[in-house]
Structures are given as structure tokens and as C-alpha cells.
Amino acid sequence: MKIFIPKLKNSWLLWILLLSLFSVEAAIYEWTDAEGVTHYSDRPHPDAKEIQVKVDNPSHHEYEVESVHDGDTIRLKGGEKVRLLGINTPEIESRFRSAEPGGDEARDWLKFQLEGKKITLEFDKEKRDHYQRLLAHIFTLDGTHINLRLVEEGLAIVSLIPPNFKYSSQLTQAQNKAEATKLGIWNMAAYTPQPITKLAAEKYEKGWQRYWGTPAKIKQTQKYSYLVFNKNIDIRIPQKQLSYFDPLENYLEKKIEVRGWVNRRQNHYSILVNHPSSLKII
């Protein structure tokens, strides 16, 4: 790359703008020609002096972790809350809900890794959620991807919500490995897959769960595609996310597992699925 900016009074400011596109430490060469005009370039020039400039990309600023709320939410020094992208950990006990198995373990692990330490944040398509929390992938200063490590340890499940699909393949691969080796929540009785037909017969769990069943047909609406198990139970996939999935016909008459949260409306039960990581043939 050759950049040459002659005869600009504010060329130094322009260099700063250019460098701010990157997180780099770069050499810039400055010289003044016979007419008294100052020049800057990234290439050496006779009589030029070298200026070392380092400009940080704003998305790689360092932040200090003040506290860890639970396995997927932290507070930065200064008060900002950060929700870890691409994952979900079981709930801890609060005045609004009971603790879920694995919630305390995920929180304690995250505390050990982050509390009082400095981190960097990497954002995706959306920077904040409807609670105004920052949405980010968290990295320690040695480059450890905390979101990914939680999944690798079996402390978190992959929960990909559009349009934030960054690192989806890495997270999904880590989850497959943790599940295969029965780490963390993948070895807990509370998350053993249950027949999906039990939803209409028994009181269902309100948290993240795993269900298995055999879909009988596909239904389409303008907003969703549905894998229908019976008149009371289905899986719904947003039409705009359908391209991420195999053809839905591939799931018909096969035993599949769906992972997610059950939504109940009167006697109808539905599970929203945004990404293939939450749906698989078994």
C-alpha cells in the first residue's frame, strides 16, 4: 500500500483518520519540500524524518471488569453492563427466579477469570440489547476468547440470535466437543432430552431445555416456517433465517432434538429456533 498526501495543511490529521481504521503501530515519514510544504507518507523519502504513530481501534479499547453478575453478564468499571454474545448460561437465584443447575458454576468460573481484570470487547451487528446492555465477545489481554471458553468448559450453551452470528462456527464446534465429552451441563440430569409430546401432558420447565420428537409436517406463514409435531406442538423458524438451515423436508419423519425455550399460548407450545445449532437429527 502506497499512500502519499502532498500539499495539505491538515495532512497530519488525515493520517490519524486513516490509521484509526486499524489498530496498528505505523511509521510515517515527514519532510518539507523546497516550497515549504510539509508532506507525509508511509514510504521513506530523502531528508524525511520518521514519526512513529500508534492509533488504537476504538473497538479494541481496554476495559476493567468491576463485577460479574452471572455466567453471561458482567459490569465494567464505570457502570456499563455487558451481555456476552452467542451464548447463554443457566440462571442464578434472584428475587425473580430460582437458580438453574449449572448457573452458580458458570458465574464462579467467570468471576475467577475476569473480576478486577482488564479486557477488550468485540462487537457484532448490534451493539446493545433492549435492556441497553452492551453486546460483545470478551477477550482477556492475552487473547483468550471468554465466550468460547465458557462453551468449551460446558458451562454455557450456544445461543445465536440474529443478526449477531459472529464466531458461530467456532462456538458450535466447541459445543459439539463439550457435549461429546459430557462436560458441565451436558452431564446434568436437569438437561437430559425429554419427549416433546410431554409438553402438552405435564408442567414444562420454563428455562432452556432439550426435547426430542419426530415432526410430521411443515407449515408456512409469511413470518415463520414450522416443523409441526402435532396440533399443539411445533418448532418455528423465522423465514429470514431459513437459509442457514438444511431443507426442512430433511427433518420430516426423523427423530430430532431441539434446544431452546418453550413459549406457551393457551394449549399451544412452540420453540423458537434461530440457528441450526439448536436443531439436529439424532
Side-chain angles (χ1 to χ4, degrees):
M1 178 183 69
K2 184 176 182 180
I3 303 173
F4 183 70
I5 310 172
K7 298 183 180 180
L8 290 175
K9 291 182 180 179
N10 293 323
S11 53
W12 178 256
L13 295 176
L14 185 53
W15 268 107
I16 295 297
L17 286 172
L18 288 170
L19 287 172
S20 67
L21 297 174
F22 309 95
S23 180
V24 297
E25 186 168 319
I28 297 176
Y29 299 92
E30 176 187 17
W31 72 95
T32 303
D33 64 22
E35 297 178 358
V37 177
T38 301
H39 300 258
Y40 299 93
S41 176
D42 63 338
R43 299 295 180 88
H45 184 276
D47 303 321
K49 64 179 180 179
E50 182 179 333
I51 303 170
Q52 203 72 25
V53 176
K54 184 175 182 181
V55 180
D56 290 325
N57 188 316
S59 67
H60 290 81
H61 284 169
E62 292 181 8
Y63 302 86
E64 186 173 339
V65 178
E66 182 177 277
S67 62
V68 169
H69 172 67
D70 57 21
D72 52 38
T73 310
I74 67 170
R75 184 186 295 274
L76 303 176
K77 188 174 182 180
E80 284 267 34
K81 280 189 176 181
V82 182
R83 176 63 166 81
L84 278 68
L85 270 174
I87 68 167
N88 187 81
T89 60
E91 300 292 343
I92 60 171
E93 185 175 4
S94 71
R95 59 178 178 169
F96 302 109
R97 59 176 65 90
S98 301
E100 295 175 351
D104 289 348
E105 290 89 336
R107 176 201 58 198
D108 294 345
W109 184 91
L110 198 61
K111 276 188 173 186
F112 180 78
Q113 299 295 323
L114 296 185
E115 210 157 64
K117 299 178 182 178
K118 291 186 176 181
I119 59 170
T120 61
L121 304 179
E122 186 173 334
F123 305 111
D124 204 339
K125 301 289 186 182
E126 294 176 332
K127 191 172 181 179
R128 292 186 184 272
D129 64 10
H130 61 284
Y131 298 112
Q132 291 306 302
R133 298 176 298 185
L134 290 171
L135 298 171
H137 290 272
I138 293 178
F139 292 84
T140 61
L141 296 190
D142 66 2
T144 300
H145 187 183
I146 292 296
N147 310 48
L148 183 62
R149 290 286 293 120
L150 279 160
V151 176
E152 289 174 338
E153 294 291 329
L155 298 169
I157 56 98
V158 174
S159 180
L160 296 160
I161 300 173
N164 303 308
F165 287 159
K166 184 178 284 190
Y167 298 113
S168 60
S169 60
Q170 294 94 321
L171 291 168
T172 301
Q173 289 170 15
Q175 177 168 273
N176 291 341
K177 186 174 180 180
E179 181 180 0
T181 53
K182 299 187 181 300
L183 288 177
I185 63 173
W186 304 107
N187 196 36
M188 293 183 179
Y191 303 112
T192 300
Q194 301 292 316
I196 200 166
T197 51
K198 289 179 64 175
L199 288 175
E202 300 180 12
K203 184 178 179 181
Y204 70 96
E205 297 292 335
K206 292 186 178 181
W208 180 86
Q209 287 293 321
R210 303 163 66 192
Y211 296 96
W212 61 264
T214 304
K217 66 179 182 178
I218 297 168
K219 184 177 76 173
Q220 302 277 351
T221 65
Q222 185 175 359
K223 192 173 181 180
Y224 294 104
S225 287
Y226 296 84
L227 285 170
V228 179
F229 294 86
N230 58 44
K231 65 179 182 179
N232 300 113
I233 302 170
D234 60 50
I235 295 167
R236 68 188 191 279
I237 301 169
Q239 295 286 17
K240 58 186 177 182
Q241 307 305 331
L242 205 56
S243 61
Y244 291 99
F245 292 78
D246 291 336
L248 295 190
E249 289 76 11
N250 292 358
Y251 297 100
L252 290 179
E253 303 300 335
K254 293 178 182 175
K255 186 177 179 181
I256 66 171
E257 181 184 319
V258 57
R259 300 161 177 184
W261 293 261
V262 177
N263 176 261
R264 178 183 178 183
R265 182 173 293 179
Q266 295 182 342
N267 291 324
H268 190 86
Y269 301 82
S270 186
I271 300 174
L272 175 65
V273 174
N274 284 301
H275 190 270
S277 57
S278 298
L279 184 64
K280 69 175 186 177
I281 297 172
I282 55 177

